[in-house]
Amino acid sequence: MTDTIHTPFFKQLSTLYARMDTVWTAAADHYGFHCRGCVDNCCETEFHHHTHIEKQYLLSGLDTLDKETAAEIQTRAATVCEQRAEAGKTNAPAKIMCPLNTDGLCRLYDFRPMICRLHGIPHELHRPGAFPMKGPGCEAGEPFFSATDYQTFDRTPFYSSMARLEMEYRTAVAPPGRIRETIAEMLIG
Ligand code: SF4
């Protein structure tokens, strides 16, 4: 997976992720908020991911695990896909744990995608021709967030950099079509 085509793109992605982590941590420190797990676990939320480069980077992380562990995770991923398909028949909101989460910890923490890194903290997003969008942060952090001033956490430059990198990656690697996949779907390829 980490061959010469992917390597320069994965390096850029890793640098972008590091920038996200730095800004997220600074904001979390500002609020005195430290995620230690909660009932409303964001790893149970059905997030969709839209970039081939993040999918391939996640799969390159899977390749770093021993075969048995990787196979066990993929089996769990297949089960999660079935459970979500079943829940989708009734449109019932489904809280189903991400197949990478074991005992509250992410098995591929260094390879987790953007939304896992940006979630939880009050933020803003600026899109051309639209009003700025503000997000409140997660419920577990609300007492911390409401107790102090808003710390600017603008997701816009991260989304823009990711879109640019994805475009360059698609041009170079030419994966088929667009994607809209959950972590579970990405893991089963
Ligand atoms: S990839 Fe990791 S951080 Fe993201 S939802 Fe899954 S377990 Fe949680």
Side-chain angles (χ1 to χ4, degrees):
M1 179 64 64
T2 316
D3 53 29
T4 46
I5 295 183
H6 293 88
T7 303
F9 293 103
F10 286 177
K11 275 194 184 147
Q12 289 182 67
L13 182 61
S14 163
T15 302
L16 177 57
Y17 280 159
R19 273 172 42 210
M20 292 176 194
D21 294 346
T22 300
V23 175
W24 193 97
T25 303
D29 286 347
H30 168 79
Y31 296 112
F33 170 64
H34 300 287
C35 175
R36 295 193 176 85
C38 64
V39 178
D40 183 30
N41 193 320
C42 50
C43 296
E44 291 179 329
T45 306
E46 184 179 25
F47 289 119
H48 288 97
H49 308 267
H50 300 267
T51 56
H52 286 279
I53 188 168
E54 289 193 284
K55 175 176 179 174
Q56 293 309 322
Y57 192 61
L58 188 77
L59 291 174
S60 77
L62 194 67
D63 283 348
T64 65
L65 303 177
D66 62 81
K67 281 203 170 76
E68 204 174 293
T69 305
E72 177 234 318
I73 286 172
Q74 285 186 306
T75 303
R76 283 165 63 178
T79 304
V80 168
C81 289
E82 285 166 19
Q83 290 170 330
R84 289 221 176 272
E86 201 52 42
K89 288 179 191 166
T90 59
N91 274 338
K95 302 283 284 176
I96 299 170
M97 185 54 83
C98 173
L100 285 175
N101 188 308
T102 302
D103 299 330
L105 298 177
C106 178
R107 302 295 290 267
L108 292 179
Y109 191 75
D110 291 341
F111 297 89
R112 72 200 191 286
M114 175 169 71
I115 196 62
C116 301
R117 293 166 192 265
L118 298 183
H119 188 75
I121 294 286
H123 62 274
E124 57 195 89
L125 183 65
H126 301 264
R127 286 174 299 180
F131 287 110
M133 206 185 87
K134 298 232 171 184
C138 66
E139 264 185 51
E142 202 283 327
F144 298 88
F145 307 146
S146 59
T148 186
D149 295 338
Y150 169 64
Q151 155 118 345
T152 302
F153 183 31
D154 186 0
R155 289 184 177 184
T156 316
F158 300 132
Y159 283 24
S160 302
S161 297
M162 184 64 79
R164 219 170 13 248
L165 185 55
E166 170 73 356
M167 213 176 335
E168 290 168 11
Y169 179 75
R170 279 198 202 181
T171 304
V173 180
R178 290 171 176 268
I179 58 166
R180 179 181 183 272
E181 295 183 356
T182 62
I183 295 277
E185 287 167 334
M186 292 201 281
L187 287 169
I188 58 176

